[in-house]
Amino acid sequence: MDVRVEVAGEHPADEVRSLREWPVAEESLRGRVRLVAGAPEEGALGTGMDVLAVALGNGGALTVFATVAVTWLKRRTGRMEVKITRADGSAVEISADIVRPQTAQELRETVEHLARDLAPSHEGTESG
């Protein structure tokens, strides 16, 4: 299962590149993450914002990626959101405003929720 990861914030291209460094440092995700040019917005010239394409399967890699994404987002400053879109078009969004004040237990629950929402068997509704 592949997902596309977009970042919305003050400097989204820089943030996508920053986010890319985290999963490639994880052994179970090495070779599964690549930076790609996103589709341009309607009426725009050139390519769109950079996005991450991540190849995930069930279980381990999916949970590791969810952990990395939530941990990375918690450490960001300012307003920032990460949108993860599954191949079927369903998306999950998480915000730094939500994860930043969370306790360790709440972060674990957020990771579990994100991994469950991204799993291929999930029907995929947008959440945040």
Side-chain angles (χ1 to χ4, degrees):
M1 172 187 79
D2 287 350
V3 296
R4 293 175 56 88
V5 183
E6 301 170 67
V7 177
E10 191 172 326
H11 303 286
D14 293 338
E15 297 297 351
V16 166
R17 287 181 178 87
S18 170
L19 175 55
R20 181 187 174 276
E21 298 302 316
W22 287 59
V24 298
E26 293 292 330
E27 187 173 330
S28 63
L29 295 175
R30 233 174 256 138
R32 295 175 180 250
V33 181
R34 67 186 194 286
L35 188 63
V36 297
E41 291 187 27
E42 191 172 326
L45 299 175
T47 61
M49 266 192 284
D50 291 336
V51 298
L52 292 182
V54 185
L56 299 173
N58 288 329
L62 182 61
T63 302
V64 171
F65 178 74
T67 302
V68 166
V70 169
T71 303
W72 176 85
L73 190 57
K74 183 173 176 62
R75 295 176 184 256
R76 308 318 294 166
T77 58
R79 290 192 57 98
M80 188 165 310
E81 293 181 353
V82 173
K83 180 179 180 182
I84 305 168
T85 306
R86 294 176 22 175
D88 67 4
S90 62
V92 178
E93 294 183 21
I94 54 175
S95 166
D97 293 340
I98 293 170
V99 300
R100 208 174 285 129
Q102 289 185 337
T103 66
Q105 177 60 33
E106 290 168 332
L107 285 172
R108 279 191 293 277
E109 291 169 4
T110 298
V111 166
E112 291 170 6
H113 180 78
L114 179 59
R116 193 171 43 250
D117 283 354
L118 292 175
S121 62
H122 182 71
E123 288 301 317
T125 58
E126 200 160 311
S127 66

